[in-house]
Amino acid sequence: MNCKLGGSLWSLKIPFKQNVMICGIDVYRETTTKAISVAAFVASLDNNCTKWYSKAIIQNEKAEILNGLCCCLISALNAYQSENKVFPDNIIIYRDGVGDGQLQVCENYEIPQLEEACRKLLEQVVKITFIVVKKHTNTRYFSMNQNGFESPAPGTIVDKTITRTGSDNFFLISQTIKQGTASPTHYIVLRDDAQFSPDIIQRLTYKLCFLYYNWPGTISVPACCMYAHKMAFFVGKTIKRTSSEELSCTLFYLFFIKLLQ
């Protein structure tokens, strides 16, 4: 209940020297009538990523490539400025729900919307880092011990040799697997204006997997992606309309039931 009212349950130190806003984007597609899709945009408001701004937009078509990113980012930037009295220097965006065939469309259509928002609102240059998150992959990794094979330990990262060629990408196993094999999440960096080192992006991504307040452990994706997923599902499945702006700085859409993330 505390986090649904805007409080924080736990935090991790994320030592950025500059002001950084971390965002998550996901889309829910209504499967009954197939008439609408809901895009959710979630953005951090503090350096420890314990306060979040959330906004959903309803589209009139079944589409994963979304419209309205410009207005979402403008609203999030205003909320960030209201909380910190300054605009962020860097924006890191985790985009969930994009298939391999949509990467080029995402790069050419969604990222320009973010640039437009920065031009409209800010006089300063904001560096954008855009990362695509892919939960469903066929890739599996194993580690060897004296008894044979086992799933790799949480925090295992694979970023060379057996990754996608021609792009900056890595696989991350963030959860402890007690049965079966670990399913890594694939991260593809489509754009990185700040030129973060791979180590910074990978460490940040793993830390964000600890900050989902509906589960007392790590999840398979950064918390901002799961919050965006939950909000898109809640709006598209339950209320079927955009939520009140008064609730935008609370995690009102979290369900307090035991879920396997």
Side-chain angles (χ1 to χ4, degrees), residues 238-251:
T238 306
I239 64 175
K240 299 185 184 299
R241 59 183 176 86
T242 56
S243 58
S244 171
E245 188 66 21
E246 295 179 356
L247 298 174
S248 61
C249 292
T250 65
L251 300 173

Side-chain angles (χ1 to χ4, degrees), residues 15 46 82 89 95 111 116 150 173-174 184 229 258:
D46 65 334
S82 178
D89 301 304
R95 172 65 161 98
I111 293 178
E116 182 184 357
E150 64 179 3
I173 297 173
S174 57
H229 172 77
K258 186 175 181 180

Side-chain angles (χ1 to χ4, degrees), residues 208-219:
L208 290 174
C209 294
F210 285 84
L211 294 177
Y212 179 57
Y213 289 153
N214 228 24
W215 186 256
T218 54
I219 58 175

